[in-house]
């Protein structure tokens, strides 16, 4: 996991996510270094490697990821959003969150005016995904966030991305 080669670190992330004896809490915990890796590819593999465990144990995963949604590292905050996207592009959909995205709002609320464009783009994509099946919910969240934000410009960027297909 700490090898100098990003390819080897990707393999380590895949191996960690595929270990059947680990529950989702341990898989998320052990994926932290890969999720915060300097290399984009390693970070992407990190959330993809644990996605099925997140789907299988969604409530435990959400509980475990709550702290990461408030973490000072933008890579970890983005992991939270990407790993739980209802309709991720290169991964299995999370049917529960397509039907009931509200279950993950505790992960998203702390990110509503994130200082990192990297995170804001992911949160906007998360909401855009949810809007494919629950457009009214996305509109309600966007309206609420307009009034709860500390950084209007940051939130406005998320809301624009979130509502682009509504």
């Amino acid at each position: 996991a700490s090898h100098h080669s990003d390819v080897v670190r990707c393999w380590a992330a895949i191996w960690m996510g595929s270990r059947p004896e680990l529950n989702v809490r341990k898989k998320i915990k052990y994926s932290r270094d890969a999720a915060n890796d300097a290399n984009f590819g390693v970070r992407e593999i990190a959330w993809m490697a644990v996605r099925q465990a997140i789907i299988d144990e969604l409530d435990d995963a959400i509980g475990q990821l709550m702290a990461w949604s408030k973490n000072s590292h933008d890579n970890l905050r983005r992991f939270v959003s990407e790993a739980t996207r209802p309709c991720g592009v290169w991964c299995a959909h999370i049917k529960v969150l397509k039907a009931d995205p509200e279950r993950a709002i505790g992960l998203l609320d702390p990110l509503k005016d994130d200082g990192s464009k990297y995170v804001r783009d992911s949160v906007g994509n998360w909401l855009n995904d949810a809007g494919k099946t629950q457009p009214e919910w996305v509109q309600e969240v966007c309206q609420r966030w307009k009034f709860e934000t500390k950084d209007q410009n940051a939130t406005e960027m998320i809301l624009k991305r979130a509502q682009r297909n509504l």
Side-chain angles (χ1 to χ4, degrees):
S2 61
H3 196 274
H4 66 87
S5 169
D6 57 338
V7 172
V8 174
R9 293 192 313 277
C10 282
W11 291 340
I14 292 167
W15 176 75
M16 189 58 60
S18 67
R19 294 178 59 191
E21 74 277 10
L22 298 179
N23 64 26
V24 72
R25 289 174 182 239
K26 288 184 180 176
K27 286 181 181 186
I28 289 170
K29 177 183 175 184
Y30 296 152
S31 69
R32 182 183 166 97
D33 287 344
N36 199 33
D37 197 274
N39 182 275
F40 173 78
V42 175
R43 293 191 305 268
E44 291 297 290
I45 293 296
W47 69 259
M48 285 190 243
V50 299
R51 185 157 172 102
Q52 189 58 53
I54 289 171
I55 292 169
D56 294 343
E57 302 176 63
L58 185 61
D59 292 329
D60 282 345
I62 288 172
Q64 186 73 13
L65 292 171
M66 291 294 264
W68 285 23
S69 69
K70 299 172 186 128
N71 193 282
S72 62
H73 296 284
D74 59 345
N75 292 336
L76 295 180
R77 295 190 311 275
R78 183 178 181 274
F79 178 99
V80 168
S81 179
E82 285 299 315
T84 60
R85 278 181 64 182
C87 307
V89 178
W90 302 109
C91 55
H93 290 193
I94 302 178
K95 294 176 185 173
V96 173
L97 294 179
K98 287 171 70 172
D100 184 14
E102 179 68 26
R103 287 178 71 170
I105 195 64
L107 298 174
L108 300 175
D109 275 340
L111 307 174
K112 71 179 169 289
D113 50 12
D114 201 275
S116 167
K117 182 180 184 318
Y118 188 52
V119 176
R120 289 191 308 265
D121 285 350
S122 180
V123 173
N125 289 339
W126 199 111
L127 290 170
N128 183 61
D129 285 354
K132 294 172 184 172
T133 55
Q134 301 297 326
E136 298 84 14
W137 180 83
V138 170
Q139 289 172 328
E140 290 170 12
V141 169
C142 290
Q143 285 300 315
R144 181 172 58 82
W145 283 6
K146 280 183 184 180
F147 297 104
E148 294 178 353
T149 185
K150 295 175 190 162
D151 183 343
Q152 190 66 44
N153 290 334
T155 301
E156 199 57 44
M157 287 183 225
I158 292 172
L159 302 184
K160 183 177 179 181
R161 191 173 198 91
Q163 298 176 85
R164 70 185 182 269
N165 292 318
L166 292 182

